[in-house]
């Protein structure tokens, strides 16, 4: 594997032209093969063990006919097998498609088909759910089940036996640094999720630009991300960036909603850096006496992303634990964080300052810079921004503007150069750091026989975090009471992931509309 300049990789040109991001793992082998790479309840592995298993999985994937450029989908909560298979994909030049475990069957089928996935690695707990999706995803030739003892009726491979006889010799595919390594899906305002590719070079560049240069990751760090590896927030923060510096990672397959589980993982595995969303920090704060019940003494820093972290949450967490939360804005389009607070330089409530290596400009709708202190649309320039949305040229042309991309976020830069998030240019909501399209919630509500019309907007909960709120006009003969509210929420949860459900429902006589009959969501907000 090519040796990289010790001075760092801050521009693509600092990497060799032929570069395979498995180097991020394998750079640890000469001096750190016996160092701990990964910890979880199920397994603990050194870099040497991971690298050997990567070669086995890589060979097994080659054996299934996977070739450079082919896509391999992952549907599983975090596990050692996820991390290993991810690097195996990279090593053979295949593209790893991290799928959210919160998707509906319809969305799973869409992604498998849209990505033309040839192989699916799925966790045993999700096999039943994905079976229906597979029926609509003809590209998938093979399914490998992880975390299972196996079921003889299935034509599926079982991970352990699938790799058992494989060789631990494998040379990395001769990939160009701009060849694609990952494909992630992000929700849009309407319709289907959109596919976003990232290349081998984006993995190394984001590790250097934010992981090292801003966050200051060190070899003695141990990261723990509640945000999963199928989000690029988790993939960077809890796999690529720590391994880039030889640090270890803690993998946790649980939900961010179980704050006591999250705290228990910190207590047991003693990470130095915690990555999660503002909603998750708020739920930690809601656990009475959390800092005396759980030992958080190992933590030196926390990171927040996915949605804006309200200053009161930052302050309360700091008052109780003494730990700084580093809030930074990132996106799947850019792979990771591009405006960030930094250790020793935090302005609570703000997203911090542009990460060196990226340029930001705040512009009016015509693309002209607004005076400092005015609100405008945030445009981003940097080498790790993706170039297009898969199968959506129209949307791609609107978003990717030559060297710049339109983030869809509104921002204000203050007199000291800190950036303050000021909403979205579309109607999209971030709930617990995850996208919710109001249109999708409205479509679910309108399918209920009692609903005549509805509109969904973001409203603030008790912690200044956004949650969906619905305004509903009922059909004649229905009563807007507590039972109706409960029925509508239950109906939504049947059709969508539960986090998308409306937290409040107001029954109204009519909705504000334009002369052409379009609902004016901004008036409801
Ligand atoms: C919003 C934030 C205010 C913002 C992500 C870190 O969230 C990530 O990626 P997504 O594609 O969403 C991107 C959008 O989410 N957002 C994210 N972080 C913040 N708004 N303050 C923040 N700190 O609207 C952005 O456009 O899901 C975050 C790293 C990698 C990621 N993919």
């Amino acid at each position: 594997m090519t040796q990289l300049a010790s001075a760092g990789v801050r521009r693509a040109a600092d990497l060799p032209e032929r570069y395979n991001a498995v180097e991020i793992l394998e750079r640890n082998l000469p001096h750190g093969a016996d160092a701990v790479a990964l910890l979880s309840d199920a397994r603990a592995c050194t870099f040497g063990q991971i690298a050997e298993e990567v070669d086995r999985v890589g060979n097994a994937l080659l054996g299934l006919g996977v070739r450079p450029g082919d896509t391999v989908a992952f549907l599983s909560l975090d596990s050692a097998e996820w991390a290993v298979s991810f690097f195996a994909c990279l090593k053979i030049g295949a593209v790893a498609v991290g799928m959210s475990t919160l998707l509906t069957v319809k969305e799973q089928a869409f992604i498998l088909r849209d990505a033309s996935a040839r192989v699916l690695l799925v966790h045993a707990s999700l096999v039943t759910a994905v079976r229906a999706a597979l029926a609509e995803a003809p590209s998938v030739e093979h399914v490998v089940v992880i975390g299972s003892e196996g079921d003889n009726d299935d034509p599926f491979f079982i991970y352990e036996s699938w790799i058992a006889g494989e060789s631990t010799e494998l040379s990395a595919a001769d990939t160009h640094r701009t060849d694609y390594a990952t494909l992630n899906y992000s929700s849009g305002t309407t319709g289907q999720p959109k596919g976003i590719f990232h290349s081998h070079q984006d993995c190394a560049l984001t590790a250097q630009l934010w992981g090292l240069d801003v966050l200051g990751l060190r070899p003695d760090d141990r990261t723990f991300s509640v945000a999963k590896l199928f989000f690029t927030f988790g993939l960077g923060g809890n796999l690529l960036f720590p391994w880039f510096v030889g640090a270890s990672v803690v993998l946790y397959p649980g939900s961010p909603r179980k704050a006591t589980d999250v705290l228990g993982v910190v207590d047991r595995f003693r990470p130095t850096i915690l990555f999660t969303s503002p909603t998750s920090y708020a739920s930690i704060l809601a656990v009475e006496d959390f800092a005396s019940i759980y030992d958080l003494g190992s933590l030196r820093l926390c990171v927040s992303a996915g949605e804006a972290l309200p200053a009161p949450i930052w302050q309360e967490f700091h008052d109780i634990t003494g730990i700084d939360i580093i809030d930074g804005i990132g996106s799947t389009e850019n792979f990771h964080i591009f405006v960030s607070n930094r250790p020793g330089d935090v302005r609570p409530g703000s997203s911090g300052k542009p990460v060196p290596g990226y340029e930001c400009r705040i512009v009016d709708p015509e693309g002209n810079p607004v005076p400092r202190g005015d609100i405008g649309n945030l445009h981003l320039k940097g080498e790790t921004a993706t170039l297009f949305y898969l199968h959506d040229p129209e949307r791609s042309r609107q978003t990717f503007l030559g060297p710049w991309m339109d983030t869809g976020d509104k921002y204000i830069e203050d007199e000291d150069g800190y950036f303050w998030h000021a909403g979205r240019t579309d109607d999209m909501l971030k709930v617990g750091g995850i996208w919710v399209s109001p249109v999708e919630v409205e479509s679910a509500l309108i399918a209920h026989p009692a609903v005549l019309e509805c509109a969904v907007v973001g409203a603030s909960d008790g912690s200044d975090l956004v949650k969906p709120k619905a305004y509903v006009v009922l059909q004649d003969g229905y009563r807007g009471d507590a039972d109706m509210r409960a029925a509508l929420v239950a109906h939504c949860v049947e059709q969508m992931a539960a986090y998308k459900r409306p937290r409040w429902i107001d029954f109204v006589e009519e909705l504000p509309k334009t002369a052409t009959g379009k609902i004016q969501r901004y008036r409801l907000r």
Side-chain angles (χ1 to χ4, degrees), residues 82-346:
W82 203 111
V84 164
S85 308
F86 174 83
F87 275 101
C89 268
L90 264 49
K91 190 159 184 179
I92 66 167
V95 181
V97 188
M99 292 171 66
S100 167
T101 53
L102 297 167
L103 300 170
T104 60
V105 167
K106 218 174 109 215
E107 290 165 323
Q108 286 174 351
F110 173 83
I111 290 176
L112 289 169
R113 191 166 172 194
D114 192 64
S116 310
R118 294 190 59 190
V119 175
L120 169 69
L121 285 121
V122 58
H123 191 269
S125 58
L126 295 159
V127 169
T128 313
V130 84
R131 231 180 272 272
L134 284 172
E136 323 227 317
S139 66
V140 179
E141 295 163 29
H142 304 286
V143 176
V144 179
V145 181
I146 57 189
S148 151
E149 296 302 312
D151 171 350
N152 293 335
D153 294 342
D154 265 334
F156 299 163
F157 293 101
I158 304 300
Y159 179 89
E160 283 78 15
S161 46
W162 177 58
I163 64 167
E166 294 295 341
S167 155
T168 55
E169 294 292 318
L170 174 67
S171 43
D174 178 32
T175 45
H176 192 275
R177 65 188 178 217
T178 62
D179 277 334
Y180 294 123
T182 63
L183 174 58
N184 285 87
Y185 280 80
S186 184
S187 313
T189 31
T190 51
Q192 307 290 5
K194 37 197 195 338
I196 298 171
F197 281 107
H198 281 285
S199 58
H200 287 262
Q201 70 185 20
D202 298 344
C203 299
L205 287 171
T206 50
Q208 176 83 47
L209 292 174
W210 183 80
L212 244 90
D213 294 351
V214 171
L215 191 63
L217 276 164
R218 307 189 301 233
D220 61 346
D221 273 319
R222 177 174 293 170
T223 60
F224 165 36
S225 175
V226 181
K228 301 292 172 249
L229 295 170
F230 56 73
F231 294 118
T232 63
F233 178 38
L235 180 62
N238 210 32
L239 191 62
L240 296 170
F241 306 171
W243 284 7
F244 188 76
V245 301
S248 57
V249 306
V250 178
L251 298 183
Y252 160 69
S255 156
R257 283 192 304 279
K258 295 192 180 139
T260 52
D261 287 1
V262 171
L263 290 160
V265 172
V266 175
D267 189 294
R268 270 183 294 135
F269 288 100
R270 313 213 46 75
T272 59
I273 307 184
L274 170 67
F275 292 76
T276 192
S277 65
T279 301
S280 168
Y281 288 109
S283 68
I284 288 173
L285 289 172
V287 177
E288 210 177 323
D289 279 342
F290 71 93
S292 44
I293 300 172
Y294 300 93
D295 182 0
L296 308 184
S298 60
L299 291 173
R300 67 178 184 93
L301 280 177
C302 289
V303 176
S304 175
E307 60 188 315
L309 178 71
I313 297 185
W314 189 94
Q315 197 62 54
E316 192 183 343
F317 191 83
H318 188 266
D319 289 347
I320 296 175
T321 63
I323 304 166
D324 279 357
I325 304 180
I326 306 300
D327 183 10
I329 175 176
S331 64
T332 311
E333 284 81 349
N334 192 56
F335 197 72
H336 219 268
I337 292 175
F338 50 88
V339 175
S340 184
N341 286 283
R342 52 213 69 195
D345 180 11
V346 175

